[in-house]
Amino acid sequence: MYSIEQRVFLVLEYHRLKESPTATRRSFQARFNVPKGSDAKTIRSLFAKFQRTGSVTDDLVGNVGRQQTAVTPENVATVSGIIQQNPMSSVRRIASETGLKRSSTQKILRKSLHMFPFKIQTHQAIPVRAVQQRVDFANQMLTMIDSEGFDVGCI
């Protein structure tokens, strides 16, 4: 909510102004050019926290956001073992075998194992005869365009 500089300012001003939240708020508004400053409860709790801990930093620095419980080294090793046994396993099958959610299994496959879904595409070599037919067709079209005045715009 507030930067460290703003928190320190609030604590110091509150102390300097003999614990007056109204004067502290007005000073904060003037210093940081904001239309509305902190309310009295916020200023008092920040000052109490400073007196209690000696710090104005946020308590939740290490606890912010959701915890990743499914992406553990054990689960990554389990999923990796299943993939090594059967590389063609689907994400749903891996999830049911490991007891993890499908989304957690996808996260493990993508972020930890660097595996991404793809469609297998098969390629076939073009026979020599087909290559010769293509070359003949191209030459025939070129002669038609040059000799007969074939309009390329009609294609």
Side-chain angles (χ1 to χ4, degrees):
M1 183 176 183
Y2 294 113
S3 69
I4 297 291
E5 176 189 0
Q6 290 172 334
R7 290 182 202 156
V8 170
F9 179 82
L10 281 171
V11 168
L12 293 176
E13 281 296 297
Y14 187 70
H15 181 68
R16 185 180 71 83
L17 296 171
K18 300 188 184 349
E19 300 185 5
S20 170
T22 306
T24 304
R25 183 177 64 242
R26 288 181 185 148
S27 177
F28 182 83
Q29 289 171 324
R31 167 73 168 83
F32 292 102
N33 195 20
V34 291
K36 185 178 178 186
S38 305
D39 61 344
K41 183 178 178 183
T42 304
I43 295 171
R44 285 188 192 109
S45 66
L46 187 62
F47 188 72
K49 176 183 172 187
F50 177 73
Q51 286 181 324
R52 186 178 68 250
T53 64
S55 174
V56 292
T57 58
D58 195 4
D59 289 336
L60 303 176
V61 170
N63 300 328
V64 177
R66 284 191 254 164
Q67 295 179 350
Q68 289 188 351
T69 56
V71 184
T72 61
E74 295 83 21
N75 289 341
V76 171
T78 305
V79 171
S80 178
I82 292 172
I83 290 293
Q84 287 176 357
Q85 289 175 1
N86 187 5
M88 298 301 290
S89 293
S90 67
V91 175
R92 289 182 184 201
R93 179 162 292 165
I94 295 169
S96 67
E97 288 179 19
T98 57
L100 298 171
K101 291 181 181 177
R102 187 172 49 87
S103 58
S104 299
T105 305
Q106 285 176 331
K107 284 179 188 176
I108 290 172
L109 288 170
R110 286 177 176 265
K111 294 182 179 179
S112 300
L113 300 177
H114 306 290
M115 299 179 79
F116 303 96
F118 63 92
K119 292 185 177 180
I120 298 174
Q121 297 178 353
T122 57
H123 297 280
Q124 297 176 350
I126 300 175
V128 176
R129 185 170 147 247
V131 173
Q132 187 58 44
Q133 285 177 340
R134 291 179 184 194
V135 170
D136 291 342
F137 175 77
N139 287 332
Q140 188 179 12
M141 290 303 292
L142 285 173
T143 56
M144 285 176 59
I145 291 171
D146 289 340
S147 65
E148 298 176 13
F150 187 78
D151 188 12
V152 180
C154 293
I155 297 178

